Amino acid sequence: MTGQVYWEAPSNIALVKYWGKKGLQLPCNPSVSLSLSLSKTQTSLKWVKKERTDEFSFDFFFEGEKKYLFEKKIEALLERIGPSFSFVKDYHLEFRSSNTFPHSVGIASSASSMASFALCLCSMAKALGHLDGPFYEKASFISRLGSGSACRSLYGGVASWGEFSWQEKKLGSDLFATPVSKVHEDFSEILDFILIVDSSPKAVSSTVGHSLMNGHPFLEARITQANKNMESVLDALYKGDWETFQNVVENEALTLHSLMMNSVTPFILMKPQTFLLIEKIQNFRKKTGAKCCFTLDAGPNLHLLCLKSEENLVRKFVQEECKKHLENGRWIEDKVGKDGPKFEEA
Ligand code: PMV
């Protein structure tokens, strides 16, 4: 018996950052992100019946080539999914993936790839009659076990992960992400100019980064701040309040890097050009009043977010003032994708 499925899942960029985990990939604080439209991982999964053994059996090909290092991550994911997916041991799996974006440019490939694997595994479970519970919730749950932030890549637009309070209601779950639908129409089109400062591979993995939050002197304060920022940014998205949005998003980006800089083993991922560009963005905004702001992932590259109405002004700014400070003068233009993951009959 054999079968095949194909899924495409978006990467995402966090507005409120998940930083620090507990238990089995549970977040220390709630987070919320924007799913991108063009930056995606495309994955096909083929399964072929085999003699049952106690081992998982699979191959992973990235852009046509076998990738042994990434196989370890898939193995860890399969081990973590647990008994509800033990039927997988009856099959040999073949994952084939490719990304629509380059490596190490500040676009999280772990998020889009783990989300696409989880979707494929859930489709396989569904095809074989082993899926229980709502499809996307399950896929989000599984992708979380591969990479925490991946669980938000299961939805288009805005997605939150973790328990939080908003409008006096307790919402969200630490186990899986949920879509945020209460978004003002002024925020319906957000563009993301990804300014590539340095594309060398990350010096510190996010696993190490998260672990440095254990015993971090500011852990409690960070959790309180993230919860407050979560409420503020959701309010801003709901009301169409750009100023609050901008303040929270920039505060979160700088907080993420500050937490890295003052952990017991400190590390600095920003480069001099990162600071220079932040200053340029702030001056440009002061001068023109453009509705744009920056955020950062765990790396030196900037995401310059803006409303669609500012597109031409911001592109001109990038071309004229930022380009000369970018690695090979390169940036990537993306935007928030409303559609979320895409399935195709294989
Ligand atoms: O999902 P991970 O373990 O790669 O962690 C991602 C953490 C950040 O990208 C820095 C923040 C986030 O919420 O996406």
Side-chain angles (χ1 to χ4, degrees):
M1 203 171 36
T2 175
Q4 191 167 356
V5 288
Y6 170 93
W7 276 98
E8 221 175 72
S11 183
N12 71 71
I13 176 72
L15 303 172
V16 173
K17 312 288 181 183
Y18 146 58
W19 201 238
K21 54 180 151 185
K22 54 191 183 191
L24 191 55
Q25 298 270 100
L26 299 170
C28 286
N29 64 268
S31 59
V32 62
S33 61
L34 305 174
S35 289
L36 298 176
S37 161
L38 305 174
S39 304
K40 297 179 284 200
T41 297
Q42 303 162 325
T43 298
S44 70
L45 167 64
K46 189 172 165 189
W47 60 90
V48 180
K49 186 96 174 150
K50 66 165 179 66
E51 277 296 302
R52 188 180 180 107
T53 61
D54 283 340
E55 306 282 306
F56 291 107
S57 158
F58 67 90
D59 289 306
F60 173 67
F61 297 87
F62 182 71
E63 282 162 11
E65 279 179 36
K66 212 156 167 15
K67 283 277 183 282
Y68 297 99
L69 248 172
F70 209 85
E71 283 187 352
K72 292 223 174 319
K73 294 192 180 180
I74 299 181
E75 189 157 355
L77 171 71
L78 293 172
E79 298 286 355
R80 283 174 179 172
I81 301 176
S84 64
F85 270 70
S86 68
F87 70 89
V88 164
K89 290 181 175 164
D90 295 334
Y91 297 86
H92 176 75
L93 312 180
E94 187 184 282
F95 293 92
R96 287 182 176 270
S97 269
S98 57
N99 291 342
T100 60
F101 55 92
H103 238 283
S104 302
V105 293
I107 302 171
S109 58
S110 59
S112 50
S113 46
M114 285 300 167
S116 69
F117 297 159
L119 285 159
C120 286
L121 287 167
C122 283
S123 282
M124 176 184 174
K126 193 172 167 196
L128 298 170
H130 291 288
L131 191 78
D132 51 0
F135 184 86
Y136 284 95
E137 203 172 286
K138 188 84 184 177
S140 180
F141 178 95
I142 290 173
S143 56
R144 184 198 101 230
L145 299 171
S147 159
S149 60
C151 73
R152 299 183 309 238
S153 277
L154 270 293
Y155 310 100
V158 187
S160 76
W161 172 35
E163 292 169 12
F164 61 96
S165 299
W166 186 56
Q167 293 184 335
E168 288 165 18
K169 283 194 210 86
K170 291 226 169 296
L171 301 168
S173 166
D174 284 352
L175 299 176
F176 50 83
T178 32
V180 173
S181 54
K182 294 191 172 172
V183 177
H184 194 277
E185 61 166 337
D186 284 3
F187 281 85
S188 61
E189 280 192 89
I190 300 177
L191 308 185
D192 184 4
F193 290 76
I194 302 152
L195 309 181
I196 305 167
V197 160
D198 186 341
S199 66
S200 18
K202 271 200 220 174
V204 182
S205 71
S206 64
T207 309
V208 172
H210 288 294
S211 72
L212 289 171
M213 286 308 287
N214 297 327
H216 194 290
F218 301 143
L219 178 64
E220 284 314 311
R222 165 60 190 153
I223 295 173
T224 307
Q225 176 201 36
N227 277 280
K228 269 201 191 127
N229 278 347
M230 190 78 184
E231 279 206 74
S232 305
V233 88
L234 290 172
D235 265 344
L237 285 165
Y238 178 55
K239 294 178 185 151
D241 171 0
W242 176 267
E243 191 141 334
T244 303
F245 178 86
Q246 167 193 304
N247 291 341
V248 173
V249 168
E250 294 190 350
N251 173 258
E252 278 289 317
L254 295 175
T255 296
L256 171 70
H257 284 262
S258 313
L259 289 166
M260 296 174 196
M261 287 193 270
N262 54 33
S263 53
V264 177
T265 313
F267 57 100
I268 304 173
L269 297 183
M270 289 186 284
K271 299 281 180 199
Q273 298 91 315
T274 313
F275 290 100
L276 189 145
L277 288 161
I278 288 175
E279 199 179 6
K280 279 193 176 292
I281 292 167
Q282 288 172 336
N283 288 340
F284 164 70
R285 196 166 56 207
K286 236 184 246 160
K287 208 166 74 190
T288 62
K291 290 190 162 103
C292 66
C293 65
F294 68 85
T295 187
L296 292 153
D297 212 342
N301 304 311
L302 285 146
H303 288 248
L304 176 55
L305 304 175
C306 72
L307 296 183
K308 172 81 177 155
S309 53
E310 319 292 73
E311 179 172 7
N312 293 338
L313 188 62
V314 170
R315 186 174 296 114
K316 191 162 175 277
F317 163 68
V318 170
Q319 270 158 351
E320 290 177 1
E321 294 194 47
C322 303
K323 187 176 170 182
K324 54 181 169 285
H325 304 291
L326 302 178
E327 185 185 79
N328 301 319
R330 196 160 65 119
W331 75 92
I332 292 175
E333 293 189 18
D334 208 329
K335 59 185 175 186
V336 177
K338 291 222 183 66
D339 295 341
K342 212 169 94 193
F343 172 78
E344 261 175 42
E345 291 294 342

